Amino acid sequence: MPIYISLYGLGVDSRFWDEPEIYNPDRFTESNNIPDAYIPFGIGPRMCVGMKVGQLHAKIVLALLLRDYEIWQTKDNESVLDPRSTFTAAGNGIYLHFKEIKKIIQEEWRDGL
Ligand code: HEM
């Protein structure tokens, strides 16, 4: 029998997280981690076998983007959840601003390493 668990529901449940509506990356440090409430890759014997590859891929893409761009979202175009989606998905798209970090700054940074 398929079982669907709302990861969004778990993520905003105040029984597990302080201030669940606030974005706080420290929530995901290992010392704060509540394994049964943070399960983006599933749990148990059938959990995702590609977790480390997926995490590494995400880190590489983020590092490459953040190396070259400042990225931000403004209050007037914040994403809202699609209430009809089975998965956690933006209902109105995801609008981000990108500003290229000047090449010269990158060169100075590389030379300094
Ligand atoms: C950010 C990326 C990824 C996310 C969020 C993700 C998430 C998940 C989730 C939630 C499951 C179901 C676990 C369960 O039933 O309890 C799963 C299963 C699985 N994932 Fe991923 N996954 C990701 C990337 C990958 C990658 C890169 C691979 C392969 C290289 C992969 C291969 C698999 C496989 C083979 C299963 C089935 C495992 C089984 O049923 O025994 N996943 N994944």
Side-chain angles (χ1 to χ4, degrees), residues 103-113:
K103 292 260 181 295
I104 187 119
I105 296 173
Q106 290 169 26
E107 284 159 14
E108 283 173 2
W109 183 75
R110 280 192 206 118
D111 292 344
L113 285 179

Side-chain angles (χ1 to χ4, degrees), residues 18-39:
D18 294 332
E19 300 183 299
E21 304 281 351
I22 305 289
Y23 174 65
N24 173 10
D26 290 341
R27 184 173 298 144
F28 303 102
T29 55
E30 274 182 31
S31 55
N32 284 340
N33 206 303
I34 302 171
D36 295 346
Y38 179 61
I39 52 170

Side-chain angles (χ1 to χ4, degrees), residues 39-43 45-51 53-55:
I39 52 170
F41 295 93
I43 195 167
R46 298 301 299 271
M47 81 177 287
C48 180
V49 293
M51 180 173 80
V53 179
Q55 288 178 328

Side-chain angles (χ1 to χ4, degrees), residues 25-85:
D26 290 341
R27 184 173 298 144
F28 303 102
T29 55
E30 274 182 31
S31 55
N32 284 340
N33 206 303
I34 302 171
D36 295 346
Y38 179 61
I39 52 170
F41 295 93
I43 195 167
R46 298 301 299 271
M47 81 177 287
C48 180
V49 293
M51 180 173 80
K52 289 288 178 189
V53 179
Q55 288 178 328
L56 182 64
H57 197 167
K59 281 180 193 168
I60 291 169
V61 169
L62 275 175
L64 289 174
L65 278 172
L66 295 174
R67 183 191 62 181
D68 292 340
Y69 298 93
E70 270 182 39
I71 306 168
W72 71 96
Q73 197 170 39
T74 50
K75 280 271 173 212
D76 55 324
N77 58 19
E78 270 179 0
S79 303
V80 294
L81 286 177
D82 181 352
R84 290 175 302 170
S85 173

